[in-house]
Amino acid sequence: MFDAMCGIAGFCGAGDVGDIRAMTEALAHRGPDGFGYHADEAYRLFLGHRRLAILDIGGGTQPMWNETATIAVIFNGEIYNHVELRAELERLGHRFASDHSDTEVLVHGYEEWGEELPRRLNGMFAFAVWDSERAQLFLARDRFGEKPLFYSKGTGFFAFSSELRSLASHCNFDASLDVRSLQKLFAYGFFPAPRTPYRHAAKLPGGSWLRFDLRSGAITTHRYWQFSLMRDDAMFSRKEDDLVDELDHLVTQAVRRRLISDVPVGVFLSGGVDSSAVLAAATDIVGKGRLETFTIGFNERSFDESAHASRVAQIFQSLHNEQKLDLAQARDLIPSLLDKVGEPLGDSSLLPTYLLCEFARRKVTVTLSGDGADELFAGYDPFHALRAASIYKSGVPNVLHGIIRNFVGKLPVSTRNMSLEFKLKRTLAGLSYGPELWNPAWLGPLAPSMIERLFDERICAEELYEEALALWNASPRLSLVEKTLEFYTQFYLQDGILTKVDRAAMMNSLEARAIFLDNDLVDFSSRLPTAFKYRDGVGKYLLKKVLARKVPTDLVSRPKKGFGIPLAAWLREIPERIPLEKIAGIDLAEVAKLWHQHRNRRSNHAIALWVWLGLQAFGRRVATG
């Protein structure tokens, strides 16, 4: 059984018990049900843990030790294959003090397999092992980075934590901001791992482990897993119905693994393909009329999917809960939300995600989500643009492209969700570059030329997007669609979507479990040929075939709306006073221009201005400590 979702923190070297208490208290929202500490004065090592009880509610105190008290673990997450691993470890001679703890599996698993342990785990996790005999800390993060883990190293000092705010609570932490990382935030809309807003803090990438040797002070990091497409052409010879059966089985298996809990479990429901497939599988397992579903709707109709969610809920007879969001609520919520989140995030759907989590937490402690399906099965709008973009790029000279872009740039600014005007301007902005930069340019808040003006610095686009370029160049055999799949899976999913969901859920002491990131389901997706993901303009082709067996066809084929908010319209009115507090490296006059252009309806800078609001909240927190 799973012990808990938690927050973890620790350090060695400079500092004292007051620092570990401050770091751990900063994680209280991640674990309101209990806490634990450990101090090893000989090594000046301090470990802290906050606990949100999901299963084994009466136990699960951490750090958890082996029999000889030489190895301890603090753990944030869930190990879905812990029963199988426990059985294997018992066959190898390990003796467990509990009969159900997934945390104890990590203790004995590290004893047996050491650094090979993370690759054996199916789950979402961030954990730290203290190996006192070797005087080493071993940190690891799950394959996609569902659970966060940050670290910092200075002279005579090493610290780690689940959140940057906790890390910055240590008295020796250097809170200097990193200007290049801030530039990348405006380029991507998120901080690509290992970057953070701090110069002296790093994010351990998903699928990685870190070893810190207390005697030498040396840090070693290693990528034990990375998503990559390994097309299995043998799948072409199989009947399509067989592949649909297999995917259906894998989704159901992933849901079954994530339904285990001693506290109430619900489902986030948008009415789209992903969440509907999750609800369908969960209903097959537990029966109709037993699952709580949760939806956030909007008074602005072009953003609202609540009617579709309600229809899906009726089909599966879930206990459906719906809440609407409007401008008045947003005006009050945005400042406090950006202050609480602890780091700048470029995705404004943080707001409805936070409200959805808050809404769900009133009735449940665990929710199931469809996160990951768009990335693994080609569900995003840019997949539809790739063919036309390639034809345009090969046939339209640069001079004509400039004329076309200038003409389209004069179209009236629309605030509707994914309007044609918005799509055209975004697409043409990306097409100013080669295909290797289309995806980050389409996704990012600002174009490189605008980032140059914002930071008053000459910036090379290839340096801004160096992470995306490295991934592009690492896979020369892949098609444009496949390269786009890898981009969204390795960057947007991990450093954008999963970061947003974790923070929104944990601010409400809610655990969100991503069904589509199950190891077996991901491995199937990586082998599945692209033709079963994107075919004749249809994204998530095979997944839609699964859902079409369970709901009416029109619910499967309707256009994707996305979990957006009317941000462009809202930012014309809120905040009432434009915030212009100084942030390292940024020209405030240029920020003011963005705000004025947006409020005068000359441009839509909503994404960049949301980033700026997040930076302002973050900067105030840094300044005040």
Side-chain angles (χ1 to χ4, degrees), residues 99-132:
D99 62 359
H100 54 273
S101 170
D102 59 340
T103 305
E104 195 174 3
V105 166
L106 297 179
V107 175
H108 294 290
Y110 180 81
E111 285 183 302
E112 182 66 33
W113 299 308
E115 294 162 357
E116 290 299 304
L117 170 62
R119 69 172 65 251
R120 293 175 174 265
L121 304 176
N122 186 352
M124 54 177 178
F125 56 83
F127 65 81
V129 172
W130 165 231
D131 186 338
S132 62

Side-chain angles (χ1 to χ4, degrees), residues 273-437:
V273 170
D274 314 334
S275 62
S276 299
V278 170
L279 178 59
T283 303
D284 286 344
I285 295 166
V286 306
K288 292 185 175 181
R290 300 185 61 189
L291 286 165
E292 299 273 359
T293 51
F294 302 91
T295 297
I296 290 288
F298 301 93
N299 291 330
E300 163 57 65
R301 291 187 60 186
S302 72
F303 290 84
D304 187 49
E305 291 189 288
S306 58
H308 302 293
S310 178
R311 187 177 167 201
V312 173
Q314 289 174 1
I315 291 170
F316 296 105
Q317 297 176 27
S318 66
L319 308 173
H320 192 52
N321 304 268
E322 180 184 310
Q323 186 178 59
K324 287 287 181 77
L325 175 64
D326 61 20
L327 175 62
Q329 285 177 286
R331 179 182 289 110
D332 297 333
L333 281 169
I334 287 175
S336 61
L337 174 61
L338 294 176
D339 180 65
K340 286 194 293 186
V341 74
E343 62 187 286
L345 300 176
D347 189 346
S348 62
S349 67
L350 171 70
L351 175 61
T353 304
Y354 170 82
L355 287 172
L356 180 62
C357 292
E358 181 186 53
F359 186 42
R361 187 64 176 89
R362 299 173 192 175
K363 291 191 174 183
V364 302
T365 310
V366 176
T367 57
L368 309 183
S369 83
D371 292 320
D374 281 318
E375 294 81 5
L376 293 169
F377 292 97
Y380 287 123
D381 282 343
F383 288 99
H384 303 303
L386 292 174
R387 185 171 182 273
S390 298
I391 294 171
Y392 177 97
K393 189 67 176 177
S394 62
V396 176
N398 289 338
V399 173
L400 180 57
H401 168 72
I403 295 171
I404 294 172
R405 188 178 177 190
N406 183 59
F407 173 78
V408 170
K410 295 177 181 178
L411 292 175
V413 176
S414 171
T415 57
R416 290 181 57 82
N417 187 29
M418 299 303 292
S419 67
L420 177 61
E421 170 265 337
F422 175 82
K423 290 181 179 180
L424 284 174
K425 290 176 181 176
R426 280 264 150 180
T427 301
L428 290 171
L431 288 172
S432 298
Y433 306 96
E436 68 278 5
L437 295 182

Side-chain angles (χ1 to χ4, degrees), residues 248-262:
D248 194 1
H249 164 74
L250 289 170
V251 171
T252 302
Q253 175 181 267
V255 169
R256 189 184 305 277
R257 287 169 174 166
R258 287 157 179 78
L259 278 172
I260 300 173
S261 175
D262 279 343

Side-chain angles (χ1 to χ4, degrees), residues 557-595:
S557 59
R558 71 182 184 85
K560 180 179 177 61
K561 189 180 291 284
F563 200 28
I565 62 174
L567 184 66
W570 289 356
L571 291 182
R572 288 176 180 167
E573 300 183 40
I574 57 175
E576 184 176 344
R577 184 186 67 83
I578 295 174
L580 292 172
E581 301 297 326
K582 181 64 179 174
I583 298 289
I586 297 179
D587 186 337
L588 295 181
E590 291 297 326
V591 177
K593 286 180 184 179
L594 295 179
W595 278 101

Side-chain angles (χ1 to χ4, degrees), residues 489-568:
T489 304
Q490 295 215 30
F491 291 109
Y492 184 55
L493 174 63
Q494 298 191 40
D495 294 319
I497 296 293
L498 296 178
T499 299
K500 173 195 68 180
V501 173
D502 174 80
R503 304 308 187 271
M506 287 289 95
M507 281 190 284
N508 290 289
S509 299
L510 179 78
E511 176 187 321
R513 298 175 175 176
I515 298 305
F516 289 95
L517 300 188
D518 183 82
N519 287 13
D520 296 330
L521 186 47
V522 169
D523 292 347
F524 172 82
S525 171
S526 71
R527 293 183 291 107
L528 187 69
T530 304
F532 292 106
K533 300 174 185 177
Y534 189 82
R535 181 183 297 184
D536 298 329
V538 176
K540 291 189 282 199
Y541 175 83
L542 199 69
L543 183 59
K544 288 180 178 178
K545 292 285 185 179
V546 171
L547 188 61
R549 294 175 169 182
K550 306 175 184 185
V551 302
T553 304
D554 64 299
L555 281 173
V556 178
S557 59
R558 71 182 184 85
K560 180 179 177 61
K561 189 180 291 284
F563 200 28
I565 62 174
L567 184 66

